[in-house]
DNA sequence: TAGATTGTTAATCGATTAACAATC
DNA sequence: TAGATTGTTAATCGATTAACAATC
């Protein structure tokens, strides 16, 4: 029996399984074992089987999973069985890139409008879309029943924009602004904070060990200079 | 005593603490308690204290943390105490946006070059940088001792690019391509896969409960139609 | 039937939270 | 000294891994 309350980590893996299935189907593969999915994805076979089992029993013992069947199940589970309309707020470099990217590359998502506050950018063309003033967002959200929104405005504007879209019915925000958004219960925010990603990567890019040892040494030096207690070890 | 083997989840939170400290210092705040940092960040005060304690004792009991002091410690811990030079490979919409973004917004990181395979894009100007042919990457990596690299090429080119930069000494890759990269031990990859983020967000954007129940119902219907066994409950 | 691989339960591991002594 | 808040140890929680019976 599928049980509810699926954890975030499980949900984040589902689109990866979907992508792999898309590739396999394109290559003509009809059946795939959890072992092979493990090779393709880097997750363990046990984890893959367990993830899928939260939603049902989609495989055949002794044989594996039918790729087309599993793909269809995953589409329904994730909610990609019909195209999701979305809007982009913030038509700067990143907003423009994401709009173009989604228009071309992503078969499951459709950007229906791009908004900006800056009057200079209104009317600017991004492929076939024209940047609209932010005031028109509520109307568009209503018209297309928008539930998902991408925010690519500067940090200081992000909360105002989030409040606005949530007020008109948006349930999920992909936030690229380097700011923590407060949203009511039931609204989901994923932070795609590129600065954070990059900085945490820098942590690993140089000899971690040495850097932290240097830090320890400094601390010790300070201590023996200024404190009454000695440090052992 | 600071212990080694810091987990990824801890490291990902450090840049967030850093950003909050930057804001606090700009506002003139001199001391901050873990409780207040909790309010600003959304993490619990216990977690913040524990995270920091992995690296040393930076606070003052009864008083909290000195913002300037803690910021400086964090810079050293993360490795941001000197500017990190980086390169961007792939000068499409996303690569261009990230290059501009980093050039302007990020004080700790500097994009020194942008590369592309496509001959048509070579020579294109992104602010003050000229897109260079990918063949020049090894020379630039050596010249600037590049350890961190952003990959924004199409999925099918990502692995080749990764192999190339790793071969010449890159230790950390921020990968925007929707592809799993294989890298040798000691090289770190962070995937910033916007499609995955967006799709997993869509999971939460519509009534999860209902969707999954519909799925269950389908499964049950199929079973009672085609199988020999009945399903109870 | 023998071989393979799922679905699921139990064991382990790791990360978060709670509690509190240390100490400013 | 009393009040506040850290640093750290112990308890809890959740997620991953291992094991194996079910079954194609």
């Amino acid at each position: 029996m599928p049980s509810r309350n699926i954890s975030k980590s499980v949900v984040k893996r589902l689109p990866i399984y979907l992508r792999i299935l898309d590739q396999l189907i394109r290559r003509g593969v009809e059946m795939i074992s959890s072992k092979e999915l493990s090779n393709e994805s880097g997750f363990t076979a046990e984890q893959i089987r367990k993830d899928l089992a939260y939603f049902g029993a989609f495989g055949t013992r002794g044989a594996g999973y039918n790729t087309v069947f599993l793909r269809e199940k995953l589409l329904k589970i994730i909610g990609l069985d019909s195209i999701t309309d979305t809007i982009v707020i913030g038509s700067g470099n990143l907003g423009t890139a994401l709009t173009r990217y989604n228009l071309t590359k992503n078969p499951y998502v459709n950007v229906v409008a791009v908004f900006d506050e800056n009057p200079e950018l209104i009317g600017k063309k991004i492929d076939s879309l024209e940047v609209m003033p932010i005031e028109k967002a509520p109307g568009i959200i209503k018209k297309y029943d928008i539930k998902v929104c991408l925010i690519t405005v500067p940090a200081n504007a992000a909360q105002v924009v989030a409040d606005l879209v949530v007020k008109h019915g948006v349930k999920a925000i992909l936030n690229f602004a380097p700011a923590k958004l407060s949203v009511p219960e039931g609204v989901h925010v994923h932070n795609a904070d590129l600065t954070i990603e990059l900085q945490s990567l820098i942590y690993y890019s140089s000899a971690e060990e040495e850097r932290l040892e240097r830090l320890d040494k400094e601390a010790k030096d300070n201590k023996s200079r200024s404190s009454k207690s000695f440090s052992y070890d």
Side-chain angles (χ1 to χ4, degrees), chain A residues 98-211:
Chain A
L98 294 172
T99 304
R100 289 223 175 90
Y101 186 81
N102 272 284
L103 283 174
T104 55
K105 296 259 182 79
N106 199 317
Y108 304 114
V109 177
N110 182 34
V111 178
V112 300
V114 186
F115 300 94
D116 209 295
E117 271 192 330
N118 185 343
E120 282 182 29
L121 294 171
I122 311 296
K124 179 185 131 185
K125 278 257 184 179
I126 302 177
D127 290 356
S128 60
L129 291 174
E130 233 175 59
V131 177
M132 302 167 87
I134 188 94
E135 293 77 29
K136 294 210 172 165
I140 297 283
I141 292 172
K142 199 168 187 195
K143 181 173 169 196
Y144 291 94
D145 192 28
I146 299 291
K147 296 289 177 220
V148 181
C149 164
L150 280 65
I151 294 185
T152 59
V153 301
N156 57 24
Q159 185 64 57
V160 174
V161 166
D163 292 344
L164 177 74
V165 298
V166 166
K167 187 178 160 200
H168 289 90
V170 163
K171 291 284 174 237
I173 295 173
L174 186 48
N175 175 39
F176 292 86
K180 190 201 146 210
L181 297 182
S182 301
V183 293
E185 185 93 357
V187 176
H188 289 259
V189 176
H190 278 197
N191 290 302
D193 193 323
L194 307 177
T195 306
I196 299 292
E197 285 296 330
L198 190 54
Q199 291 183 356
S200 67
L201 196 57
I202 288 170
Y203 176 91
Y204 297 106
S205 72
S206 76
E208 180 185 3
E209 206 60 33
E210 286 169 36
R211 217 169 52 242

